[in-house]
Amino acid sequence: MKNVLVVDHPIVHLYLTVLRDKTTNTASFRRAMAHIGNILAYHALSELPLKETTVETPIQSTKGYQTASEVIVVPILRAGLSLVDGIIDFIPEAKVGHVGVYRDETTHEPVNYYDNLPSGIKKGYNLVVDPMLATGGSASHAINFLKESGAENIRFVSLIAAPEGVERMQNDHPDVPIITAAIDEKLNDQAYIIPGLGDAGDRYFGTS
Ligand code: PRP
Ligand code: URA
């Protein structure tokens, strides 16, 4: 699939199995999300622009690097928060913005209830984060909002994507690469991902 990176790594498969397992408790679910978030961040940041600098080792000066763009992580509330710890563990200086969206249970359309983006979004290396890309409505809505706010450099980081969500993203935002750990089979009648992992937000926050 164009512009989609499925991170195919043995450790990702192990943690994804923990996350899919319905008997996994909240504590283990959170730990597995943090580990996978860390690995996804490694891939999502592979094109982070750098500028050269000079560093003094105890022996002599040599070439080093600094980031040339601010990294801005934008979780889609609530469930997007589940991947943030793992991502900022990888890049601790990242700023974090928030977009609050929930899916209407009947129409499955996104409903926006909160936005707070840091300054710097226009020139930033922006990662929009949500573990579940189902219909793609929430992700597309959040990315529209970032673009309206001036963001140009955006990647979407997810854990599990449905083919329907990937297609929606490729139609609405063909310029936005998707980094994900899995592409599952399809959506069910309630627009849940099959086999998926259930409701990511409820499982991460222990609210199911
Ligand atoms: C879930 C998930 C995504 C959205 C994906 O959020 O975290 O944001 O659904 O579905 P979509 O691709 O069809 O839009 P939910 O509405 O359950 O809210 P929550 O994160 O607050 O639990
Ligand atoms: N949101 C979730 O949390 N899980 C799904 O399978 C679909 C949307």
Side-chain angles (χ1 to χ4, degrees), residues 49-127:
L50 299 178
K51 57 186 177 202
E52 281 190 17
T53 182
T54 303
V55 61
E56 297 289 333
T57 79
I59 313 296
Q60 64 168 61
S61 64
T62 187
K63 190 167 70 175
Y65 296 95
Q66 295 175 331
T67 52
S69 280
E70 255 180 351
V71 176
I72 299 180
V73 183
V74 183
I76 301 177
L77 306 179
R78 290 176 305 166
L81 291 171
S82 63
L83 288 168
V84 171
D85 281 355
I87 295 174
I88 61 175
D89 183 57
F90 193 74
I91 175 97
E93 64 266 39
K95 290 185 175 174
V96 181
H98 298 87
V99 177
V101 180
Y102 70 86
R103 277 198 330 180
D104 181 281
E105 281 182 13
T106 318
T107 64
H108 307 132
E109 287 298 315
V111 181
N112 183 268
Y113 60 91
Y114 183 73
D115 301 308
N116 189 337
L117 296 179
S119 64
I121 203 98
K122 289 184 185 159
K123 295 211 164 94
Y125 187 100
N126 302 298
L127 303 181

Side-chain angles (χ1 to χ4, degrees), residues 103 132 134 191-193 196-201:
R103 277 198 330 180
M132 309 308 277
Y192 270 79
I193 300 174
L197 54 68
D199 189 304

Side-chain angles (χ1 to χ4, degrees), residues 137-159:
S138 305
S140 183
H141 173 91
I143 290 168
N144 275 334
F145 177 63
L146 261 78
K147 287 183 174 175
E148 283 161 17
S149 305
E152 290 180 354
N153 190 351
I154 305 172
R155 282 160 181 72
F156 182 72
V157 180
S158 89
L159 177 75

